[in-house]
Amino acid sequence: MTKISISRLNPVTDHEIAALVSTEARNELAEHITEAAPQPAPRSWWRRRLIVGIPLVAAAATAAAVVAFSSGWVGLQRAEAAALSFQREGDYLVVRVQDPNADPERYREEFQQRGMDIDLKLAPTSPDKAGKVLFIEDGDDPAGRLEAVEGSCGERACSVAVKVPVSYRSHASIVFGRAAEQGEMYDTGPDDEPGAGIGLPGIDQYTVAEAAAILRARDVSIEYRYRYRGSDRPYPHGVPADKVDPNWYIHDGLRGSEDQAILFVGPEPEG
């Protein structure tokens, strides 16, 4: 084998080049190059080297992983965006509420996607009724009846569900209770504390002036009903606001129409 001297590949040495170029010229040239050539930031240079240095196979695998992860993430976001979940159990679909704050129209749309005409709603109520059925109505469908599964229901999570026959096609409506938010008004029942439904529990301890000031600060309008010794006379259709004494007693407070409170008032405490 023929050996080739490395020196023959570069017949001109550095010393010889230095001898051909004066020291002053070399310094001027070095200064010019230093000023003209931009110096890349070490981090950017290192990042570029990493990118360039990845083998094509590894780059393809990484890209595939990113696509798969992205697709999985999109799928996860879509699953989380669903307001209801549907699970088959024999001849029934168990429909659970995943988003208790969703617009009821979203619930209806997700039922419609499965050919079902069902209205589901979560209405504000007292804490002890959260997660319980407030109202249910279903048709006499040959497939069977709806079964409500009560549970707990707070602001961000619910365990309530409805069991619906798979082939159910009649109209149905169901309302679950959820805990009312601070100051939120709701319909009350016989066992609820006076004033709880308009965000003023213990309202029978307030005067008209005190309760009215709080409600108006919340942009709630007020309608007055008269009650005196068990009678609504002489105001059977409600007492005008200008006839209400600010120091009268309040017997109860109920939710009226949207953003409206009905106060039952009179010149004497009840009972």
Side-chain angles (χ1 to χ4, degrees), residues 35-194:
E35 291 177 353
Q39 299 297 317
R43 184 175 179 181
S44 301
W45 173 81
W46 175 245
R47 187 175 299 160
R48 286 197 295 270
R49 281 195 57 189
L50 284 177
I51 294 173
V52 173
I54 296 176
L56 292 179
V57 175
T62 302
V66 169
V67 171
F69 178 80
S70 299
S71 300
W73 179 247
V74 170
L76 178 61
Q77 285 183 318
R78 287 176 181 166
E80 289 178 345
L84 302 171
S85 68
F86 294 79
Q87 182 178 358
R88 180 74 178 261
E89 288 188 5
D91 295 331
Y92 285 85
L93 277 179
V94 179
V95 186
R96 297 191 179 280
V97 175
Q98 292 196 142
D99 183 359
N101 298 315
D103 189 315
E105 186 60 30
R106 287 182 58 198
Y107 300 143
R108 181 170 179 78
E109 289 173 357
E110 293 183 22
F111 275 115
Q112 287 178 335
Q113 290 170 6
R114 289 159 178 82
M116 296 178 174
D117 181 17
I118 297 177
D119 292 323
L120 189 148
K121 181 181 179 181
L122 277 80
T125 188
S126 55
D128 61 323
K129 294 181 181 177
K132 296 182 179 179
V133 176
L134 303 182
F135 174 83
I136 186 169
E137 179 185 38
D138 58 354
D140 189 12
D141 195 290
R145 310 295 294 267
L146 267 62
E147 298 179 22
V149 182
E150 295 184 342
S152 60
C153 195
E155 293 183 13
R156 299 185 179 180
C158 265
S159 61
V160 296
V162 183
K163 292 183 68 175
V164 185
V166 173
S167 57
Y168 187 89
R169 293 299 178 265
S170 297
H171 174 73
S173 181
I174 185 168
V175 180
F176 282 104
R178 63 165 175 80
E181 298 177 3
Q182 182 68 32
E184 186 177 18
M185 298 196 297
Y186 57 88
D187 295 327
T188 55
D191 298 330
D192 289 309
E193 186 178 3

Side-chain angles (χ1 to χ4, degrees), residues 7-67:
S7 61
R8 291 179 59 188
L9 296 177
N10 184 18
V12 181
T13 66
D14 292 341
H15 293 292
E16 291 171 331
I17 292 174
L20 296 174
V21 182
S22 66
T23 301
E24 183 178 350
R26 288 200 308 271
N27 291 342
E28 183 178 348
L29 179 61
E31 183 178 350
H32 175 73
I33 292 174
T34 302
E35 291 177 353
Q39 299 297 317
R43 184 175 179 181
S44 301
W45 173 81
W46 175 245
R47 187 175 299 160
R48 286 197 295 270
R49 281 195 57 189
L50 284 177
I51 294 173
V52 173
I54 296 176
L56 292 179
V57 175
T62 302
V66 169
V67 171

